[in-house]
């Protein structure tokens, strides 16, 4: 008697049970990539004004701030100094431990003075 996948004591699964349809593979990849990600929070006009006021104070007084930035499904908190607001490019120029970076103004979710 020859051994095959239906023989007693061997692999009892059919070959087709291990196959995934392309639609299932695509859905699985989307699920794996989207797990743990959050959508960008919507800010109302009042909250945007508060952020603008705190940014103005942080620039004038060169105050250390916590900046919450939305990036690819996650919110990252950065402790930094705000150096300048570039209105044309709509971005913040910040300094973190003697290095300078740029942050898009539309990705700023929250700001707090340390």
């Amino acid at each position: 008697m020859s051994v095959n996948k239906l023989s007693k004591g061997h692999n009892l699964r059919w070959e087709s049970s291990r196959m995934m349809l392309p639609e299932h593979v695509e859905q699985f990849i989307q699920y794996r990539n989207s797990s743990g990600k959050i959508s960008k929070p919507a800010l109302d006009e009042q909250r945007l004004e508060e952020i603008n006021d705190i940014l103005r104070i942080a620039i004038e007084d060169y105050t250390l701030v916590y900046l919450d930035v939305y990036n690819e499904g996650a919110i990252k908190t950065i402790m930094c100094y705000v150096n300048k607001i570039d209105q044309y490019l709509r971005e913040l120029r910040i300094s973190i431990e003697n290095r300078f970076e740029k942050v898009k103004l539309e990705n700023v979710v929250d700001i707090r003075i340390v």
Side-chain angles (χ1 to χ4, degrees), residues 3-47:
V3 177
N4 64 25
K5 56 187 158 195
L6 296 177
S7 299
K8 190 157 180 80
H10 290 83
N11 188 0
L12 299 177
R13 289 186 282 179
W14 291 88
E15 189 68 28
S16 64
S17 68
R18 288 186 230 138
M19 183 180 75
M20 290 181 71
L21 295 173
E23 297 86 13
H24 296 158
V25 172
E26 183 180 329
Q27 286 178 346
F28 179 72
I29 291 171
Q30 286 177 355
Y31 171 75
R32 187 176 53 196
N33 290 341
S34 69
S35 61
K37 291 185 178 181
I38 61 171
S39 61
K40 183 177 175 183
L43 302 175
D44 61 347
E45 287 295 320
Q46 182 179 1
R47 186 64 191 139

Side-chain angles (χ1 to χ4, degrees), residues 96-108:
I96 306 170
E97 298 176 1
N98 298 327
R99 72 176 196 273
F100 296 97
E101 293 186 16
K102 296 177 184 179
V103 174
K104 289 287 185 186
L105 203 52
E106 63 217 24
N107 292 336
V108 175

Side-chain angles (χ1 to χ4, degrees), residues 51-52 54-56 58-59 65-69 78 80-95 100-111:
I51 290 173
N52 189 27
I54 296 173
L55 282 172
R56 184 182 45 79
I59 292 172
V65 295
Y66 287 117
L67 196 64
D68 292 340
V69 179
I78 304 169
C80 63
Y81 292 99
V82 180
N83 297 330
K84 181 181 176 183
I85 300 175
D86 190 341
Q87 295 291 339
Y88 181 70
L89 296 175
R90 301 213 24 93
E91 62 187 18
L92 295 174
R93 299 200 181 155
I94 61 174
S95 59
F100 296 97
E101 293 186 16
K102 296 177 184 179
V103 174
K104 289 287 185 186
L105 203 52
E106 63 217 24
N107 292 336
V108 175
V109 177
D110 194 16
I111 184 169

